[in-house]
Amino acid sequence: ARAALLVLIAGSARAELPTEQGPSARSAAPDFAVHARYETSVVVSLVATGRRPALPAAATGSDDSADDEAAAAPERSLASGIVVDPDGLIMTSAHAVAGMETVIATLADRRQYAARLVGLDVVSDVALLKVDAHGLMAARFGDPSQLAVGDWVAAVGAPFGLERSLTAGIVSAMPRYLPELVGLPLIQTDVAINRG
């Protein structure tokens, strides 16, 4: 996946640096288990299905003009989402849901909802979905201005459909700018982010 959703564990998870020097001055990793109990509860597993437009024969290198009229094969996409509002707003990757006919969201408590697309930004690869649910647990947003290179962070998601998976690492650089993202500041991390 080109982009993934990160729940950044900062603030209370940030290890304090001791004032003394030497080998004992290294800070300990935060207790990810404590944070995971809440953060994984806001992760949503998504299954999107549909028929995206087929590529024309010229793009595939085929000489058969009939290929231009061929219907696109059914496609199934697995993705992760994060509940960002108690009234059923879910943020996910745009490439996973754009152009799909149906999206089914499975919450951490196993409830399933049909989700509809309400917002899409292909440049940042972010989409906003809405499900008909209320009173959901929602992600807690940190303050990126308090984040520093070397801070511990974690990513939670459902890679390959494996629900509520957590990986951890550090902030490698910030802000990081990529030419194709037109000035969008990114957080570079060495956290393992798997497809989906």
Side-chain angles (χ1 to χ4, degrees):
R2 187 171 68 84
L5 302 174
L6 289 180
V7 174
L8 299 176
I9 301 175
S12 61
R14 191 170 178 172
E16 295 299 324
L17 294 176
T19 55
E20 63 185 59
Q21 299 300 315
S24 62
R26 287 182 289 171
S27 61
D31 186 351
F32 288 109
V34 170
H35 295 283
R37 282 191 283 273
Y38 182 89
E39 305 301 346
T40 57
S41 67
V42 303
V43 175
V44 177
S45 297
L46 301 170
V47 178
T49 55
R51 293 176 181 269
R52 302 198 207 224
L55 291 174
T60 61
S62 172
D63 292 330
D64 187 354
S65 60
D67 288 345
D68 286 339
E69 305 301 323
E75 187 176 337
R76 183 171 182 261
S77 173
L78 301 176
S80 303
I82 302 290
V83 177
V84 294
D85 183 89
D87 288 330
L89 289 177
I90 298 167
M91 188 168 60
T92 188
S93 299
H95 71 267
V97 297
M100 296 301 236
E101 295 167 7
T102 62
V103 180
I104 301 299
T106 303
L107 306 183
D109 63 8
R110 312 305 304 155
R111 285 183 290 168
Q112 290 190 333
Y113 295 92
R116 66 181 187 279
L117 184 65
V118 295
L120 184 76
D121 181 59
V122 294
V123 174
S124 60
D125 194 29
V126 173
L128 191 63
L129 304 173
K130 179 75 169 71
V131 298
D132 187 16
H134 303 281
L136 302 180
M137 292 184 69
R140 300 175 293 193
F141 287 91
D143 180 356
S145 70
Q146 300 301 308
L147 201 61
V149 172
D151 277 348
W152 287 97
V153 289
V156 291
F160 308 106
L162 303 173
E163 300 172 348
R164 293 176 298 286
S165 297
L166 183 142
T167 56
I170 63 165
V171 174
S172 303
M174 65 172 293
R176 180 71 75 199
Y177 296 95
L178 300 179
E180 64 270 25
L181 295 184
V182 196
L184 180 71
L186 301 177
I187 300 168
Q188 181 183 338
T189 177
D190 68 350
V191 174
I193 300 174
N194 299 302
R195 183 173 180 84

